[in-house]
């Protein structure tokens, strides 16, 4: 159906009037979100996509600079010890100031149309659920909160008016390609993985690896171990109600194809775009409409070749561990995620080696075998299991470092 000019203008006006909260505005996803908003305002005026709240954990200088430029109603710093620094930096602006963990959670509860959840790790759990419970549109760029609290997260969605639009490239691609009206006809959803920097390395070389990461440290290590893809498989299970048998991973070094959905009639639909997070971010901010973004455009003639290969389970045991946890169910993914966060932190702090990451996770899962088979009834239970797994993993890391 072709819309008349007046209808197009009205739809665009309604889309651009959506208010936005960004949880984690100083990280890579937060910065890309602000870049999309800046691009939109450059073409449609400073009132486009008005900001309600910006939050950060410790980066006061960056948060204050963003607040002065983008003029949110409120700025929140997660570290309560930095309240004074943020207050001084924003003195005279009229922007409301808050600090502390509870303030970040409360920021997610403040009315806004879209909440970009860009906080890294399980720290996003409570604010993300707060946004879900008030019925916001959730632009979800954090896979850990779904992995760690999948049953609780899905139950909260079922009882609220919230809509989740995934921002991870692969899940955003699946969201666009899946025919939800014919979910019975979906044979398989295949997520792609770049393979990370160690895709062709020997295990001996990987054992002594300690490169400088170009992306954020946590996501870079997860990409190298392929744990990021394991977490994404678990996330896809919860987001799209797909059984483990209908989910798969394939290595695709060019990162052009983000997801493939195969149907019962033999068709396979693929989503392609240049590897640029501003594309799924723009989609999430505007859904179910589309807005222009400053993202790079795909030119297949320049790419020339697309290649695919099966992931090597010997080189990437973390992927196998994640797939096993998905099949086990219960709180096994909670334990997996907690152990991975602790092990990655220990690796970045040079306490353990690269290959030790998978060992820590596997041994933590074994030590919490019984707990992993149970289902968490609420967020408090999830957090208790998460804390127990972190304690186990931390002790294992100390033992390996000794």
């Amino acid at each position: 159906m072709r819309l008349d000019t007046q209808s197009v203008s009205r739809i665009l006006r309604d889309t651009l009037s959506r208010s936005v909260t960004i949880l984690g505005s100083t990280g890579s996803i937060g910065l890309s979100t602000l870049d999309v908003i800046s691009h939109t305002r450059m073409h449609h005026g400073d009132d486009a996509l008005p900001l309600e709240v910006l939050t950060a954990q410790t980066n006061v200088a960056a948060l204050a600079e963003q607040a002065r430029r983008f003029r949110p109603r409120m700025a929140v710093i997660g570290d309560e010890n930095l309240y004074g620094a943020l207050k001084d930096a924003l003195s005279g602006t009229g922007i409301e100031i808050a600090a502390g963990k509870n303030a970040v959670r409360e920021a997610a509860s403040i009315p806004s149309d879209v909440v970009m959840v860009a906080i890294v790790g399980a720290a996003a759990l409570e604010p993300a659920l707060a946004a879900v419970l008030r019925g916001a549109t959730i632009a979800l760029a954090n896979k850990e909160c779904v992995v760690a609290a999948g049953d609780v997260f899905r139950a909260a969605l079922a009882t609220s008016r919230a809509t989740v639009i995934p921002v991870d490239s692969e899940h955003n691609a699946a969201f666009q390609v899946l025919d939800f009206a014919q979910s019975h006809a979906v044979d398989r959803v295949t997520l792609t993985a770049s393979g990370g920097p160690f895709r062709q390395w020997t295990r001996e070389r990987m054992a002594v690896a300690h490169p400088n990461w170009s992306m954020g440290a946590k996501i870079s290590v997860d990409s190298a171990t392929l744990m990021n893809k394991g977490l994404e498989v678990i996330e896809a299970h919860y987001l799209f109600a797909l059984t483990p048998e209908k989910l798969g991973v394939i290595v695709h070094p060019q990162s052009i194809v983000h997801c493939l959905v195969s149907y019962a009639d033999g068709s396979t639909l693929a989503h392609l775009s240049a590897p640029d997070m501003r594309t799924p971010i723009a989609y999430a901010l505007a859904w179910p409409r589309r807005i222009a973004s400053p993202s790079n455009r795909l030119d297949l003639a320049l790419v020339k070749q697309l290649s695919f290969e099966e992931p090597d389970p010997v080189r990437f045991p973390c992927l196998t561990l994640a797939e096993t946890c998905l099949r086990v169910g219960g709180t096994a993914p909670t334990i997996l995620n907690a152990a991975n966060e602790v092990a990655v932190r220990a690796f970045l702090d040079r306490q353990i080696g690269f290959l030790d990451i998978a060992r820590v996770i596997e041994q933590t899962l074994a030590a919490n075998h019984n707990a992993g088979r149970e289902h968490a009834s609420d967020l408090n239970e999830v957090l208790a299991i998460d804390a127990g797994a972190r304690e186990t993993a931390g002790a294992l890391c100390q033992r390996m470092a000794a």
Side-chain angles (χ1 to χ4, degrees):
M1 181 179 68
R2 186 177 180 86
L3 297 176
D4 58 68
T5 302
Q6 187 175 4
S7 296
V8 171
S9 297
R10 177 180 53 78
I11 290 170
L12 180 60
R13 185 171 60 252
D14 290 345
T15 300
L16 297 179
S17 68
R18 291 177 180 172
S19 56
V20 180
T21 288
I22 305 176
L23 305 176
S25 64
T26 61
S28 62
I29 296 296
L31 292 172
S32 292
T33 303
L34 289 172
D35 195 30
V36 172
I37 292 174
S38 177
H39 179 82
T40 303
R41 291 181 177 183
M42 183 173 63
H43 291 279
H44 299 285
D46 291 341
D47 293 334
L49 299 175
L51 285 164
E52 284 294 319
V53 188
L54 295 178
T55 82
Q57 181 57 28
T58 58
N59 196 338
V60 170
L63 178 61
E65 182 182 354
Q66 291 173 348
R68 285 182 173 275
R69 178 183 175 191
F70 289 94
R71 309 298 297 183
R73 189 170 68 82
M74 175 180 281
V76 180
I77 192 76
D79 186 340
E80 60 186 13
N81 295 318
L82 297 174
Y83 174 81
L86 183 61
K87 183 179 180 180
D88 291 343
L90 293 179
S91 176
T93 63
I95 298 170
E96 295 179 38
I97 307 299
K101 179 181 177 182
N102 290 339
V104 174
R105 184 181 67 245
E106 290 164 6
S109 300
I110 293 172
S112 64
D113 296 312
V114 181
V115 177
M116 173 63 72
V117 181
I119 297 172
V120 175
L125 263 173
E126 293 185 79
L129 280 172
V132 167
L133 291 173
R134 72 169 174 81
T137 295
I138 312 298
L140 186 63
N142 173 293
K143 60 180 69 70
E144 289 87 353
C145 62
V146 177
V147 171
D151 291 330
V152 173
F153 195 83
R154 195 153 61 179
L157 281 172
T159 58
S160 75
R161 297 175 289 103
T163 300
V164 173
I165 311 299
V167 173
D168 270 346
S169 296
E170 294 76 16
H171 298 101
N172 187 270
F175 187 88
Q176 296 190 52
V177 175
L178 274 167
D179 186 345
F180 292 101
Q182 299 194 73
S183 57
H184 64 280
V186 176
D187 271 355
R188 191 169 182 80
V189 172
T190 304
L191 307 179
T192 61
S194 68
F198 303 153
R199 180 172 61 89
Q200 295 179 319
W201 286 27
T202 63
R203 283 182 63 79
E204 290 74 20
R205 188 181 177 194
M206 291 165 69
V208 296
H210 240 300
N212 293 317
W213 307 104
S214 58
M215 297 185 291
K218 167 67 163 57
I219 185 59
S220 295
V221 178
D222 283 350
S223 176
T225 63
L226 247 63
M227 178 58 87
N228 70 321
K229 213 52 51 177
L231 297 177
E232 287 173 10
V233 168
I234 297 171
E235 184 183 7
H237 161 71
Y238 285 112
L239 288 178
F240 306 127
L242 295 166
T243 61
E245 295 73 25
K246 289 191 174 185
L247 290 164
V249 172
I250 194 166
V251 174
H252 170 50
Q254 294 81 17
S255 298
I256 298 298
V257 178
H258 302 293
C259 176
L260 302 103
V261 178
S262 301
Y263 289 94
D265 61 4
S267 302
T268 295
L269 305 185
H271 178 285
L272 288 74
S273 69
D276 189 326
M277 286 306 300
R278 292 172 298 181
T279 297
I281 287 169
Y283 180 87
L285 292 176
W287 180 88
R289 307 300 177 184
R290 293 181 187 267
I291 56 174
S293 84
S295 58
N296 297 317
R297 284 357 189 208
L298 176 61
D299 187 336
L300 287 174
L302 290 177
V303 176
K304 298 186 186 309
Q305 180 178 343
L306 302 177
S307 59
F308 304 88
E309 61 190 65
E310 290 290 338
D312 183 348
V314 175
R315 186 177 278 112
F316 301 114
C318 285
L319 176 59
T320 302
L321 288 170
E323 291 172 337
T324 300
C325 286
L326 174 57
R327 290 192 295 271
V328 170
T331 56
T334 309
I335 297 167
L336 172 90
N337 180 70
N340 179 63
E341 288 193 13
V342 172
V344 169
R345 183 71 264 160
F347 169 69
L348 291 170
D349 291 341
R350 298 182 179 271
Q351 295 176 6
I352 64 174
F354 182 78
L355 298 182
D356 291 328
I357 295 174
R359 297 186 184 109
V360 169
I361 297 167
E362 184 173 19
Q363 291 177 35
T364 303
L365 286 165
N368 293 272
H369 178 71
N370 291 331
R373 293 184 178 276
E374 301 171 357
H375 286 270
S377 58
D378 56 33
L379 181 58
N380 288 334
E381 192 172 347
V382 170
L383 294 174
I385 292 168
D386 176 90
R390 288 174 189 275
E391 184 177 350
T392 302
L396 287 166
C397 290
Q398 288 181 352
R399 198 178 308 155
M400 291 180 182

